[in-house]
Amino acid sequence: MTENKPQHLIGMSHEQLLLLCEKAGAKPVHAERLLASIFRHYNTDLDAIPELPTVLRDYLYKHTTPLEMVCTARQQAKDGTKKLLLQMPDGKEVETVLIPGQGRMTQCISTQAGCAIGCTFCLTASTGLIRNLSTAEMVAQVMEGQQNCDRNVRNLVLMGMGEPLHNYDQVAHFVRIVTDPKGMAFSPNRVTLSTSGLIPGIKRMMDENLPCNLAISLNATTDAIRDQLIPINRKYPIHDLLAAVREYIAKRGNKRVLIEYVLLAGINDSPQDAHRLCQLLEGMDCTVNLLPFNPYPGSPYSRPSDADVSTFRAILVEASMVAVVRESRGQDISAACGQLKTEMHDQGRKTA
Ligand code: SAH
Ligand code: SF4
């Protein structure tokens, strides 16, 4: 919390709110009141927060600024998935996606505008990194999402635009804020951070006991193929990555890790790949999510046949692994995995 930057209340933890109240000469109970108003009732209007002493309200007006996130477009897919385009104060845009499931709503959060990793199967990669999002900009996505659905959001997945571990500090702060039991109170088991495999970030998550689940985008079973798909693999190859994941599981105890595997026809979807995957993950406490590739214009890859997907999964199941085929949702509005790239804005410009 630096003094010279405008501070956004929605990016502050309980401890930071306590500090703010102390500086303003207000009692700790008012930090609790702020916390409840902002993170439980999504009320950030200082005049509408009940029972704030005038001295604190004046201090907050002077030392904090509201975050102006504007929802500039909404799209709804046939399956009920909603995609929101949000414009940040500097005009940059990010997307967040609301995915209805059986009795629960999952929201996909972006952690960066664009992404620097450059995976060759992902549309977000095509812009490169535009910039990191602040914690407040991630919290604002949750608030905006909540206002755009009739059910409570139960799960948060950090699987939108960006590589969360390339923006570690802001993302970790976000995870702690959304899981604060006195605030938004998401269960740590219902917040999942997905990474392309940045080992130092995984170690930090482990050392700091970051209250969320870990998902690893493995996507290949040999370094030769993974190097082609996820360039960061040259720095953090499969063997080292999986060793870090095993260490994470061992240290975090009952934490079950999610292994994501995008299936690309003729690249990583052969029965040999499936067998190699079983060997790589042998004895690891994990669930494998198989994601058949979502094609987009200009992509060099294609989606495997349903038969190939079933064969791949059957080999994993035969080896006693938990493997689920995840069909991406919201494909007709390009809200599916890896399809986020502020496309609605592009469409708007074209028609303007
Ligand atoms: N940067 C993080 C999180 C965002 S991507 C990561 O890479 O893990 C979320 C998931 O979508 C990743 O597992 C990624 O491999 C997958 N994905 C990206 N593009 C895809 C596409 N075109 N089809 C299917 N899955 C895709
Ligand atoms: Fe970035 Fe993830 Fe897309 Fe790779 S798959 S470019 S890490 S958002």
Side-chain angles (χ1 to χ4, degrees):
M1 212 161 65
T2 45
E3 282 300 330
N4 43 6
K5 270 194 183 170
Q7 298 175 29
H8 303 300
L9 281 172
I10 63 168
M12 287 189 197
S13 63
H14 192 180
E15 295 74 43
Q16 289 174 317
L17 290 173
L18 276 169
L19 200 68
L20 204 66
C21 286
E22 196 185 306
K23 280 190 187 160
K27 294 193 190 112
V29 66
H30 295 118
E32 305 250 340
R33 220 161 266 166
L34 277 174
L35 192 80
S37 291
I38 299 166
F39 296 110
R40 280 204 180 270
H41 308 299
Y42 296 168
N43 173 17
T44 51
D45 176 359
L46 293 177
D47 287 326
I49 299 179
E51 297 174 56
L52 280 193
T54 312
V55 57
L56 176 59
R57 196 167 277 139
D58 290 348
Y59 186 91
L60 295 177
Y61 270 121
K62 201 162 160 215
H63 295 275
T64 67
T65 51
L67 175 63
E68 308 284 352
M69 282 279 260
V70 186
C71 183
T72 50
R74 282 184 192 86
Q75 283 185 327
Q76 180 150 4
K78 290 191 207 100
D79 65 11
T81 300
K82 274 188 203 163
K83 182 166 77 162
L84 310 177
L85 180 64
L86 304 175
Q87 191 175 58
M88 296 176 287
D90 64 354
K92 304 275 185 286
E93 288 170 322
V94 278
E95 294 175 348
T96 183
V97 181
L98 290 156
I99 310 150
Q102 284 158 340
R104 68 199 146 78
M105 181 72 79
T106 297
Q107 187 176 2
C108 184
I109 304 290
S110 292
T111 56
Q112 297 181 310
C115 183
I117 301 286
C119 301
T120 50
F121 53 86
C122 174
L123 187 60
T124 305
S126 61
T127 56
L129 176 65
I130 299 167
R131 72 165 169 84
N132 281 335
L133 299 194
S134 67
T135 299
E137 287 164 342
M138 291 176 237
V139 173
Q141 292 176 53
V142 181
M143 291 182 164
E144 196 64 42
Q146 195 63 70
Q147 277 157 16
N148 276 275
C149 64
D150 43 16
R151 278 181 275 167
N152 279 345
V153 173
R154 287 279 300 282
N155 302 304
L156 296 178
V157 290
L158 278 58
M159 295 185 186
M161 300 164 82
E163 166 49 57
L165 297 183
H166 256 174
N167 185 16
Y168 188 93
D169 291 335
Q170 302 285 340
V171 166
H173 195 45
F174 167 79
V175 167
R176 293 195 181 98
I177 286 178
V178 296
T179 54
D180 182 342
K182 288 188 172 167
M184 285 182 172
F186 280 92
S187 157
N189 288 327
R190 293 182 174 276
V191 179
T192 303
L193 184 157
S194 173
T195 176
S196 57
L198 272 60
I199 294 176
I202 296 169
K203 290 203 189 288
R204 272 187 82 180
M205 286 177 72
M206 178 178 80
D207 294 340
E208 295 173 10
N209 242 336
L210 197 68
C212 64
N213 293 324
L214 173 65
I216 302 287
S217 300
L218 188 59
N219 298 351
T221 59
T222 64
D223 282 322
I225 296 294
R226 199 165 190 270
D227 282 353
Q228 281 176 32
L229 302 178
I230 310 179
I232 201 90
N233 190 65
R234 293 190 198 112
K235 197 165 175 190
Y236 306 120
I238 294 177
H239 176 267
D240 298 358
L241 172 60
L242 292 180
V245 174
R246 284 180 193 275
E247 194 188 344
Y248 175 95
I249 296 172
K251 289 232 171 104
R252 297 287 307 255
N254 61 357
K255 281 275 168 199
R256 200 177 174 84
V257 164
L258 196 67
I259 301 289
E260 294 159 284
Y261 194 95
V262 179
L263 287 162
L264 306 162
I267 306 284
N268 64 359
D269 65 338
S270 68
Q272 289 86 333
D273 278 300
H275 287 296
R276 263 196 303 268
L277 189 57
C278 295
Q279 283 163 13
L280 287 172
L281 302 181
E282 205 191 337
M284 186 188 282
D285 202 3
C286 65
T287 300
V288 180
N289 267 5
L290 298 172
L291 312 164
F293 174 64
N294 279 309
Y296 52 86
S299 160
Y301 303 111
S302 51
R303 194 193 144 97
S305 67
D306 289 349
D308 286 348
V309 173
S310 299
T311 307
F312 197 98
R313 177 174 178 264
I315 293 170
L316 302 189
V317 172
E318 180 70 17
S320 306
M321 294 179 55
V322 183
V324 187
V325 178
R326 292 260 176 238
E327 278 304 337
S328 265
R329 309 282 302 275
Q331 299 191 25
D332 52 325
I333 56 164
S334 303
C337 281
Q339 289 191 333
L340 302 183
K341 196 203 140 213
T342 62
E343 200 185 50
M344 294 185 276
H345 178 72
D346 290 346
Q347 278 170 4
R349 260 207 311 247
K350 273 181 218 138
T351 50

